[in-house]
Amino acid sequence: MPDLHEPDRPGRSRQFDDELLGLDPDDPEAQAFAAHLDRMQRQRPAFTVEGYLEGIRDFAESANRAEGGRRLAAVTVVVLLLLGVAYVVWEALVFIAGALP
């Protein structure tokens, strides 16, 4: 398949050539929608370490884009996860310290 990107626009989404034909590529709303379509159509390995890390990266990026209640919910989820990890690490340290003579 030939490359449909213009040579002077290497960062332009391919969505403007496929799905968003006729929209202005310089419009910020059209660029945001093209980026959304790029994220939705991205293929990634699902059951590998790389796939899990990519999922975490996607969550972090979407949390950074969120506003209001969604951002608060994302921050709450992260804080709860960190508290859970801290609790497990503390319990492991207490268990190891108790096993020492």
Side-chain angles (χ1 to χ4, degrees):
M1 181 169 178
D3 187 16
L4 299 175
H5 290 285
E6 296 175 15
D8 59 338
R9 301 187 112 159
R12 182 176 144 188
S13 173
R14 196 176 281 274
Q15 297 297 331
F16 287 105
D17 299 323
D18 298 334
E19 303 289 330
L20 304 176
L21 193 63
L23 292 181
D24 182 17
D26 295 324
D27 181 21
E29 289 182 9
Q31 290 175 355
F33 188 62
H36 168 73
L37 289 177
D38 287 338
R39 285 190 303 274
M40 297 310 296
Q41 295 175 354
R42 189 177 329 155
Q43 298 291 326
R44 61 182 155 251
F47 301 106
T48 63
V49 173
E50 291 86 6
Y52 290 128
L53 292 177
E54 181 125 354
I56 293 169
R57 188 189 70 162
D58 289 344
F59 175 77
E61 287 177 355
S62 66
N64 286 334
R65 284 190 309 272
E67 296 175 353
R70 288 185 183 202
R71 185 174 184 93
L72 179 62
V75 169
T76 302
V77 166
V78 170
V79 168
L80 289 174
L81 287 171
L82 290 175
L83 286 174
V85 168
Y87 175 76
V88 169
V89 168
W90 176 256
E91 289 295 317
L93 290 175
V94 168
F95 178 77
I96 292 171
L100 294 176

